[in-house]
Amino acid sequence: MYFYSEPLLFLGIDRLMKRVLNALLFSFLLSLLCSTLNAASFRYGLDVLDDDACAFLEGSRVGLITNKAGISSAGESNYRLFLRHGVDLRFLMAPEHGFNVDVAAGATVRDSRTSGSLKVYSLYGSSKKPDRNLLNTIDILIFDLQDIGTRCYTYISTMFYAMEAAEDAGIRFMVLDRPNPIAPVPADGFQLDPDCRSFVGIVPVPFIHAMTVGELALWMKKHFFSSLRLDVIRMKGYDRHLFADELHGFRFISPSPNIGSVETALVYPATVFLEATNISEGRGTDQPFRQFGAVFIDSGALKRALDDFRLPGVRFTAVSFRPSASKYKGLACSGVRLDVTDRMVFEPFRTGVALLVALHTLYPGLLDLESHGEFFDKLAGTPLLRRMLLTGCSLEEILAASRLQVHEFEEANPQRFIYP
């Protein structure tokens, strides 16, 4: 494939210049072709297992941690795929929000059954760790959940506890890898302070970690579970420089009730901190995490304050809404909606900190950062962010402090990725 053939576009240009321009054109088209081929051949870890008729699981008793988002590129549920291949699947386990992803955030998930009467044990009830007696009945525990790329999302914690339980029980642990939907967003935000460790932040990685669940599992094994027998079934055709909905074959099934799209997953790290304030993060509306507000907010003033930051890749619009659930249920709220205008330059953490700085400046004391401080610190992974906000630090001062921590993490973990 060679493009130097005296194209009409280049008539009258020096021959050397023509060679340079054609070489650049060739390079661009080749890069575009490779990207397209990768996207077109994308396969989940589940698909890779399916391609081999689940031969790796032959003769093993299996338990599976999943929810309804655990599907193949053809849309088949993972547990049905296993049964179709004759896998000895003993039970399922479900994380926060339950197997059907219909349980509200923080609400207890009860044991249930699939439509085919397969037992589904809760990992978000009286215990968040797989029961040892159940693990004694299987040979391998499989994890197949869709993460969203932000540390304060409990599926990472579920995987941590499951790996710990599998190591204690002496059984294998397998991760069927899935895309990080916001993978092109680089690591950002504060690392986890050990004193703030909780189920909404359990591993010391940056707030936006930029890894897939398979990469996180390998990282956790290295740092916490050295004797665990871990297998990661890697995806095929995965390009970490693409957002998940740019991968041909990726199917977005909401992994939790309020994450309805890749776009929502992208703005989630910008607005999730508001969960620990007196500001509605949009729960109970048709735009959760994509709009926020409160009964006391002047939406015009807030929009102007946010516009002054000149944040890249995002546009703010003054809105009003009336939540049907959660904070300010049934009350008229004024606020702002975030619309991402350019994914490749949008910075969720920078935007999130700017929201907090603007809100604290306009409504000092009304965010209730002090009385909700413990929860806020758990979401942020550190008390440092809250302290800097309360003492009036600027956006750039806060970002500089967080970048130091990200740099330290990246320097200490240069081989954390398994995909180019």
Side-chain angles (χ1 to χ4, degrees), residues 163-203:
M163 292 175 71
E164 184 177 60
E167 183 180 51
D168 291 343
I171 64 172
R172 299 190 75 90
F173 189 79
M174 175 185 286
V175 176
L176 304 183
D177 210 2
R178 290 186 175 271
N180 177 336
I182 63 168
V185 179
D188 206 357
F190 292 100
Q191 283 200 70
L192 181 72
D193 185 315
D195 292 337
C196 293
R197 190 172 182 266
S198 73
F199 201 66
V200 295
I202 203 165
V203 291

Coordinates of all heavy atoms in Angstrom, one line a residue, residues 163-203:
M163 N -10.8 -11.8 46.1 CA -9.4 -12.3 46.0 C -8.9 -12.7 47.3 O -8.2 -13.8 47.4 CB -8.5 -11.2 45.4 CG -8.9 -10.9 43.9 SD -8.0 -9.5 43.2 CE -6.3 -10.2 43.0
E164 N -9.1 -11.9 48.3 CA -8.7 -12.3 49.7 C -9.3 -13.6 50.1 O -8.6 -14.5 50.7 CB -9.1 -11.2 50.7 CG -8.6 -11.4 52.1 CD -8.9 -10.2 52.9 OE1 -10.1 -9.9 53.1 OE2 -8.0 -9.6 53.5
A165 N -10.6 -13.8 49.9 CA -11.3 -15.0 50.3 C -10.8 -16.2 49.5 O -10.7 -17.3 50.1 CB -12.8 -14.8 50.1
A166 N -10.6 -16.0 48.2 CA -10.1 -17.1 47.4 C -8.7 -17.6 47.8 O -8.4 -18.8 47.9 CB -10.1 -16.7 45.9
E167 N -7.8 -16.6 48.2 CA -6.5 -17.0 48.6 C -6.6 -17.7 49.9 O -5.9 -18.8 50.1 CB -5.7 -15.7 48.8 CG -4.2 -16.0 49.3 CD -3.4 -14.7 49.5 OE1 -3.9 -13.8 50.2 OE2 -2.3 -14.6 48.9
D168 N -7.5 -17.3 50.9 CA -7.6 -18.0 52.2 C -8.1 -19.4 52.0 O -7.8 -20.3 52.7 CB -8.6 -17.2 53.1 CG -8.0 -15.8 53.5 OD1 -6.7 -15.7 53.4 OD2 -8.7 -15.0 54.0
A169 N -9.0 -19.6 51.0 CA -9.6 -20.9 50.7 C -8.8 -21.8 49.9 O -9.1 -23.0 49.7 CB -11.0 -20.7 50.1
G170 N -7.7 -21.2 49.3 CA -6.8 -22.0 48.5 C -7.4 -22.4 47.1 O -7.0 -23.4 46.6
I171 N -8.3 -21.6 46.6 CA -8.9 -21.9 45.3 C -8.4 -20.9 44.3 O -7.8 -19.8 44.6 CB -10.4 -21.9 45.3 CG1 -11.0 -20.5 45.7 CG2 -10.9 -22.9 46.3 CD1 -12.5 -20.3 45.6
R172 N -8.6 -21.2 43.0 CA -8.2 -20.3 41.9 C -9.1 -19.1 41.8 O -10.3 -19.2 42.2 CB -8.1 -21.0 40.6 CG -7.1 -22.1 40.5 CD -7.0 -22.6 39.1 NE -6.2 -21.7 38.3 CZ -4.8 -21.8 38.3 NH1 -4.2 -22.7 38.9 NH2 -4.1 -20.9 37.5
F173 N -8.6 -18.0 41.4 CA -9.4 -16.8 41.1 C -9.2 -16.4 39.7 O -8.1 -16.3 39.2 CB -9.1 -15.7 42.1 CG -10.0 -14.5 42.0 CD1 -11.2 -14.5 42.7 CD2 -9.7 -13.3 41.3 CE1 -12.1 -13.5 42.7 CE2 -10.6 -12.3 41.3 CZ -11.8 -12.3 42.0
M174 N -10.3 -16.1 38.9 CA -10.2 -15.8 37.5 C -10.9 -14.5 37.3 O -12.1 -14.3 37.8 CB -10.8 -16.9 36.6 CG -10.8 -16.5 35.2 SD -11.6 -17.7 34.1 CE -10.4 -19.0 34.1
V175 N -10.3 -13.6 36.5 CA -11.0 -12.3 36.1 C -11.2 -12.4 34.6 O -10.3 -12.6 33.8 CB -10.1 -11.1 36.5 CG1 -10.8 -9.8 35.9 CG2 -10.0 -11.0 38.0
L176 N -12.5 -12.2 34.2 CA -12.8 -12.1 32.8 C -12.7 -10.6 32.5 O -13.6 -9.8 32.9 CB -14.2 -12.7 32.5 CG -14.4 -14.1 32.9 CD1 -15.7 -14.6 32.4 CD2 -13.3 -15.0 32.3
D177 N -11.7 -10.1 31.8 CA -11.5 -8.7 31.7 C -12.5 -8.0 30.8 O -13.0 -8.6 29.9 CB -10.0 -8.4 31.2 CG -9.5 -7.2 31.7 OD1 -10.1 -6.5 32.5 OD2 -8.3 -6.8 31.3
R178 N -12.7 -6.7 31.2 CA -13.7 -5.9 30.5 C -13.0 -4.5 30.4 O -12.1 -4.1 31.2 CB -15.0 -5.8 31.2 CG -15.8 -7.0 31.2 CD -17.2 -7.0 31.8 NE -17.9 -8.2 31.5 CZ -18.6 -8.5 30.5 NH1 -18.8 -7.6 29.5 NH2 -19.2 -9.7 30.3
P179 N -13.5 -3.7 29.4 CA -12.9 -2.4 29.2 C -13.1 -1.4 30.4 O -14.1 -1.5 31.1 CB -13.6 -1.8 28.0 CG -14.1 -3.0 27.3 CD -14.5 -4.0 28.4
N180 N -12.1 -0.6 30.6 CA -12.3 0.6 31.5 C -13.0 1.6 30.5 O -12.4 2.0 29.5 CB -11.0 1.1 31.9 CG -11.1 2.4 32.8 OD1 -12.1 3.1 32.6 ND2 -10.1 2.7 33.6
P181 N -14.3 1.9 30.8 CA -15.0 2.8 29.8 C -14.4 4.1 29.6 O -14.6 4.7 28.5 CB -16.4 2.9 30.4 CG -16.2 2.5 31.8 CD -15.1 1.5 31.9
I182 N -13.6 4.6 30.5 CA -13.0 5.9 30.4 C -11.4 5.8 30.3 O -10.7 6.7 30.8 CB -13.4 6.9 31.5 CG1 -13.0 6.4 32.9 CG2 -14.9 7.1 31.5 CD1 -13.2 7.5 34.0
A183 N -10.9 4.7 29.8 CA -9.5 4.5 29.8 C -8.6 5.6 29.2 O -7.5 5.8 29.7 CB -9.2 3.2 29.0
P184 N -9.1 6.3 28.2 CA -8.2 7.4 27.7 C -7.9 8.5 28.7 O -6.9 9.3 28.6 CB -8.9 8.0 26.5 CG -9.8 6.8 26.1 CD -10.2 6.2 27.3
V185 N -8.7 8.6 29.8 CA -8.5 9.6 30.8 C -7.3 9.1 31.7 O -7.4 8.1 32.3 CB -9.7 9.8 31.7 CG1 -9.4 10.9 32.8 CG2 -10.9 10.3 30.8
P186 N -6.2 9.9 31.8 CA -5.1 9.4 32.5 C -5.3 9.4 34.0 O -6.3 10.0 34.5 CB -4.0 10.4 32.2 CG -4.7 11.6 31.7 CD -6.0 11.2 31.1
A187 N -4.5 8.7 34.7 CA -4.6 8.6 36.2 C -4.6 10.0 36.8 O -3.9 10.9 36.3 CB -3.5 7.8 36.8
D188 N -5.5 10.3 37.8 CA -5.7 11.6 38.3 C -6.3 11.5 39.7 O -7.0 10.6 40.0 CB -6.5 12.5 37.4 CG -6.3 13.9 37.5 OD1 -5.4 14.3 38.3 OD2 -6.9 14.7 36.7
G189 N -6.0 12.6 40.5 CA -6.6 12.6 41.8 C -5.8 12.1 42.9 O -4.7 11.4 42.6
F190 N -6.2 12.2 44.1 CA -5.4 11.8 45.2 C -5.4 10.3 45.4 O -6.4 9.6 45.0 CB -5.9 12.4 46.5 CG -5.7 13.9 46.6 CD1 -6.8 14.8 46.3 CD2 -4.5 14.4 47.0 CE1 -6.6 16.2 46.4 CE2 -4.3 15.8 47.0 CZ -5.4 16.7 46.7
Q191 N -4.3 9.7 45.9 CA -4.2 8.3 46.3 C -5.0 8.1 47.6 O -5.3 9.1 48.3 CB -2.8 7.9 46.4 CG -2.1 7.6 45.1 CD -0.9 6.7 45.3 OE1 -1.0 5.5 45.5 NE2 0.3 7.3 45.2
L192 N -5.2 6.9 47.9 CA -6.0 6.5 49.1 C -5.0 6.6 50.3 O -4.0 6.0 50.3 CB -6.5 5.1 49.0 CG -7.3 4.6 50.1 CD1 -8.7 5.3 50.2 CD2 -7.5 3.1 50.1
D193 N -5.5 7.4 51.3 CA -4.8 7.4 52.6 C -5.3 6.2 53.4 O -6.5 5.9 53.5 CB -5.2 8.7 53.3 CG -4.5 8.9 54.6 OD1 -4.4 8.0 55.4 OD2 -4.1 10.1 54.9
P194 N -4.4 5.4 54.0 CA -4.8 4.2 54.7 C -5.9 4.5 55.8 O -6.7 3.7 56.1 CB -3.5 3.7 55.4 CG -2.4 4.2 54.5 CD -2.9 5.6 54.0
D195 N -5.9 5.7 56.4 CA -6.9 6.0 57.4 C -8.3 6.3 56.8 O -9.2 6.3 57.5 CB -6.4 7.3 58.2 CG -5.2 7.1 59.0 OD1 -4.9 5.9 59.4 OD2 -4.5 8.1 59.3
C196 N -8.3 6.4 55.5 CA -9.6 6.6 54.8 C -10.1 5.4 54.1 O -11.1 5.4 53.3 CB -9.5 7.8 53.9 SG -9.3 9.4 54.7
R197 N -9.5 4.3 54.3 CA -9.8 3.0 53.6 C -11.2 2.6 54.0 O -11.5 2.5 55.2 CB -8.8 1.9 54.0 CG -8.9 0.7 53.2 CD -7.7 -0.2 53.5 NE -7.6 -1.4 52.8 CZ -8.1 -2.6 53.2 NH1 -8.7 -2.7 54.4 NH2 -8.1 -3.7 52.4
S198 N -12.0 2.2 53.1 CA -13.4 1.8 53.3 C -13.9 1.0 52.1 O -13.2 0.8 51.1 CB -14.3 3.0 53.6 OG -14.6 3.7 52.4
F199 N -15.1 0.6 52.1 CA -15.7 -0.1 51.0 C -15.9 0.7 49.8 O -16.1 0.2 48.7 CB -17.0 -0.9 51.4 CG -17.3 -2.0 50.5 CD1 -16.5 -3.2 50.5 CD2 -18.4 -2.0 49.6 CE1 -16.8 -4.2 49.6 CE2 -18.7 -3.1 48.8 CZ -17.9 -4.2 48.8
V200 N -15.9 2.1 49.9 CA -15.9 2.9 48.7 C -14.5 3.4 48.3 O -14.4 4.2 47.4 CB -16.8 4.2 49.0 CG1 -18.3 3.8 49.2 CG2 -16.3 5.0 50.1
G201 N -13.5 2.8 48.9 CA -12.2 3.1 48.5 C -11.2 2.2 49.3 O -10.9 2.5 50.4
I202 N -10.8 1.1 48.6 CA -10.1 0.1 49.4 C -8.7 -0.2 48.9 O -7.8 -0.7 49.7 CB -10.9 -1.3 49.4 CG1 -10.5 -2.2 50.5 CG2 -10.7 -2.0 48.0 CD1 -11.5 -3.3 50.8
V203 N -8.3 0.2 47.7 CA -7.0 0.0 47.2 C -6.3 1.3 47.0 O -6.9 2.3 46.5 CB -7.0 -0.9 46.0 CG1 -7.4 -2.3 46.3 CG2 -7.9 -0.3 44.9

